[in-house]
Every structure is written in C-alpha cells, then in structure tokens.
Amino acid sequence: MTDLDPPPPAARPANPRFSSGPCAKRPGWSLAALEQACLGVSHRGKEGKAKLAEVIARSRDLLDLPTDYRLAIVPGSDTGAVEMAMWSLLGAIGLDVLAWESFGKGWAADAAKELKLEDLRVLEAPYGQLPDLAQVDPARDLVFTWNGTTSGVRVPHGDWIASDRAGLTICDATSAVFAMELPWDKLDVATWSWQKVLGGEAAHGMLALSPRAVARLESYRPPWPLPKVFRMTKGGKLNQSLVEGATINTPSLLAVEDALDGLKWAEGIGGLRALIGRSEANLAAVARWVEATGWVGFLAEDPATRSCTSICLKIVDPWFQGLAPAEQAAAAKALAGLVAEAGAGYDLGAYRDAPPGLRIWGGSTVAREDIEALLPWLDWAFARVKAGQAAAA
Ligand SMILES: Cc1ncc(COP(=O)(O)O)c(C=O)c1O
C-alpha cells in the first residue's frame, strides 16, 4: 500500500460468496443439513425413491407447476436436461434459437453443428441486448435461455410467445427458476439445475414437460441416434417412472438431500414470492449503487431486461474505456482479484466469453446485506486498480 491507496471499507460481507454457480448455500446452511441423507442404499429402493419423488413434488409445489406438466430428474445437470430435450424433440419442424450470450450461443451451436438441423434460424444479439423477439415464428420450435447468465440480460416476460403456437418452446431456465416469475403456459420444456438459485449441490438436472411436449415425444422419433441417458420414452410412450423419481442412471443421494434442504428452506421463508423478493432486492441494491457511482454501469442496456440473479456490470470510466481490450480484461481481473484477496467477495469476474467487467450473483440465497457490504469494496478495488495503472502509465 502507498499513501495514495484508499483505505479499505470497515466491514466485509458476512458471506462473501457471489459465484454464479455453484451459488451460495442458503443462509444458515451447514453439513448438518445432510444428516438425513439416505446413503449407501439403492436409489431404486423405497427410501431412495421416496427422496427423489419428494424433490419432484416439492419443486412442483413451490413453482406452482401446472398439474398436467410432468417433471423429471435427469442426468447431466442443466446441460443434460437441455440437450436431452433438444435431442429428443427437435427436427420435426423448423427451429428458431435465440442467442445473446454464451449459453444461448452454445445451444445454437448444438442445433447447427451437432444435430445439423437444416431448417434453422439463429436470432442473435450482442452482449447487453436481446434479439428482436418479434421475429420469433410461432409455427417453428424455439430454443432460448430465460436469463442469460453471462450477460445479465433476461427476457422481461413471455408475452412475445404466442399462446396458440404450433412449435414447442424449449427454455433453459436454470438461472431464472425460483428467482423470477415464469409463465408456464408459454414454456413447453423448462430446465434447471440444483446449484443455482437454491444453492444446492450440482448433480442431476430438472426437466419440466408440457402436455404438448409429451405429445411430440410420443409421436416423433428423431433421425439421429439417442444415447441411453437421453431416452425418455418406453414403447413409444413417456416413461412414466421417470417422472415419479426413477432416474435413468444413478444419482447422488447426498446431492438429493441437499436439494431437499434448499426446497424446505424456500418453503420456510414464504415460497416463490419470498424467493423472488430476495433476488429482486439484491438487484435493487446494486441498481441504487450503480446510479450513484460514476465508474460502473449495467451490461444490460434496457433496465427491463436486467437480471436479478446474474447481475453483470461494465466499467464505463473513461480511463478504462481508453484501454486496449487485453488491458481492460487484465484491469477487470485485477479488480476482482483484489476483492477476493481481501476476503470481501469471491468469483466476481465476468464470464470468460463476456466483455471484461464484473458479475455479482444476486440469487435468492444471497442476502441483500451482503451485496450492500460488497459494493464499497468494489469502489475501493476500482480506485486502487485505476491508481496503480495510471501511476504505471
Ligand atoms: C443459462 C445456463 N445454461 C446452462 C448452464 C450450465 O449448467 P450446468 O452446469 O448445471 O449444466 C448454466 C450454468 O451456469 C447457465 O447459466
């Protein structure tokens, strides 16, 4: 430290964990939460299967999933759930994919390069924006991400999805579900993982299917080979046991117990409304600070599209803007590094494919007080990085 260095803030966040996945555990979590785990016995036995069925039942209740939707626990976390849906359902009609950040781009690449779909339109937008949602064709299938975790841009609502669509909507909702309102009638498939908004351990994924998605599964057989971990039908019908807790392959019952712990915590604090309220309060706290702070701005250009979970920020200070891209990346990394080194906040760097900047996870397990305690540390670290680099120039 030199005399020019600003003094560090007086207090650190009680929980300095702001990673966008795995995300912070729920307040008060300890390993004791896993004591009732059903370990060393078969997941197909009475007790193991009951635990899996309980994850499905509690998730359905908490999310108020329509009674005619099916919910399954599937291999490969959220990625597995999205690819299972894509590989099982696509190819019957044309497909639109929306891509405005890394994960959407990944699903577009799956459709183009792996499934090699010929009738494919990829509607793209740069980081910070959404594609033109009016271009989505209801006669075609659609794959999209509700919340773009790497740009902090979410779709603001589902009004742009036609109620009388002919195509299926497949929605990667992993960083939205439990923290944002989702219009289930507009989503034929929705996927998520355990380690995001409820802070569970990463493991299997969740796959929700509308009656129309089930009808496609039962009436259409894709032309490509389907690996065993993707197979949802048996004898041309939806494999009913899958939506009752019988997984295709072996799940971690320790992770299942942790998923149950997160669901019970969510119920205890007041359910979905309370979860959404906590996350929106985190976004509001960051927004107040951004408003009052000259050097930082939201990556999301339209306030209506700002994510309340993956809160992505860009550095707008003229000194930073004047740096070459590699120097910007190094400065943003140094800023996040200083905060981590001080023990005031971990994993605050922007995603590796995103523009240099910061990302703060504001999902429902994160306390507003911790976000508020973090923000002065960002000011402190920015001032230090700027002073250091300006002095070196
Ligand atoms: C939007 C989105 N899709 C997919 C994934 C991949 O999820 P998982 O690692 O659970 O497969 C993530 C993880 O951050 C994500 O944010």
Side-chain angles (χ1 to χ4, degrees):
M1 285 238 286
T2 70
D3 290 348
L4 293 174
D5 282 329
R12 290 176 178 76
N15 184 356
R17 293 177 173 84
F18 300 102
S19 152
S20 293
C23 302
K25 309 300 270 182
R26 53 110 174 145
W29 185 92
S30 77
L31 280 170
L34 306 180
E35 272 168 10
Q36 300 305 314
C38 147
L39 305 179
V41 296
S42 170
H43 61 293
R44 304 201 190 280
K46 196 170 162 216
E47 213 189 328
K49 196 166 165 209
K51 294 271 187 189
L52 288 155
E54 191 181 340
V55 170
I56 294 177
R58 287 186 188 269
S59 304
R60 293 188 70 98
D61 285 354
L62 200 56
L63 295 170
D64 206 13
L65 207 63
T67 50
D68 56 0
Y69 275 48
R70 300 283 163 262
L71 183 58
I73 299 174
V74 301
S77 197
D78 179 67
T79 310
V82 174
E83 291 189 333
M84 187 172 191
M86 290 181 70
W87 261 250
S88 300
L89 296 166
L90 296 181
I93 57 175
L95 174 68
D96 288 350
V97 182
L98 299 181
W100 65 89
E101 50 79 63
S102 181
F103 288 104
K105 285 179 205 281
W107 307 140
D110 270 356
K113 296 188 187 146
E114 304 300 328
L115 295 176
K116 299 185 170 48
L117 295 175
E118 277 169 15
D119 189 1
L120 170 68
R121 299 193 309 166
V122 180
L123 307 174
E124 290 187 89
Y127 276 82
Q129 297 174 19
L130 279 179
D132 180 3
L133 302 177
Q135 297 302 314
V136 169
D137 181 351
R140 301 160 67 79
D141 289 334
L142 174 69
V143 172
F144 75 106
T145 305
W146 191 275
N147 179 73
T149 319
T150 65
S151 72
V153 173
R154 59 172 155 179
V155 293
H157 48 66
D159 297 356
W160 51 280
I161 300 173
S163 297
D164 60 351
R165 63 194 174 278
L168 296 177
T169 53
I170 298 176
C171 177
D172 171 1
T174 196
S175 56
V177 93
F178 299 118
M180 300 176 195
E181 197 71 58
L182 294 177
W184 292 112
D185 60 323
K186 299 290 180 81
L187 307 179
D188 294 301
V189 176
T191 66
W192 63 93
S193 69
W194 291 340
Q195 75 270 21
K196 280 270 189 289
V197 175
L198 296 186
E201 286 302 287
H204 267 48
M206 303 299 291
L207 177 70
L209 298 166
S210 75
R212 294 177 62 246
V214 173
R216 171 80 63 85
L217 276 177
E218 294 183 342
S219 62
Y220 167 70
R221 202 185 153 84
W224 42 76
L226 217 49
K228 176 177 173 178
V229 289
F230 283 179
R231 277 176 232 154
M232 283 188 263
T233 56
K234 220 175 183 175
K237 290 279 170 209
L238 176 71
N239 182 355
Q240 190 56 29
S241 64
L242 196 59
V243 297
E244 290 167 359
T247 49
I248 295 174
N249 65 336
T250 313
S252 159
L253 287 169
L254 196 62
V256 164
E257 195 64 24
D258 202 45
L260 285 173
D261 173 73
L263 289 162
K264 289 178 197 166
W265 167 74
E267 290 158 13
I269 63 163
L272 188 59
R273 291 259 69 77
L275 292 171
I276 294 174
R278 284 175 64 92
S279 186
E280 289 291 351
N282 289 337
L283 171 60
V286 176
R288 279 192 297 276
W289 171 73
V290 167
E291 192 73 23
T293 305
W295 62 269
V296 72
F298 281 97
L299 187 55
E301 289 174 14
D302 176 355
T305 68
R306 283 177 195 162
S307 170
C308 59
T309 56
S310 58
I311 305 171
C312 295
L313 303 170
K314 59 185 177 185
I315 300 171
V316 297
D317 186 271
W319 155 75
F320 184 89
Q321 288 295 317
L323 297 176
E327 293 169 331
Q328 287 188 342
K333 201 171 163 197
L335 196 170
L338 279 176
V339 180
E341 212 175 284
Y346 303 124
D347 302 307
L348 292 162
Y351 190 73
R352 56 184 184 272
D353 299 339
L358 298 169
R359 180 170 60 165
I360 306 170
W361 181 255
S364 312
T365 55
V366 174
R368 179 174 50 81
E369 295 75 13
D370 287 338
I371 296 258
E372 285 170 345
L374 166 72
L375 301 173
W377 287 93
L378 299 181
D379 287 325
W380 167 81
F382 175 74
R384 278 194 72 181
V385 171
K386 185 175 171 179
Q389 301 233 341

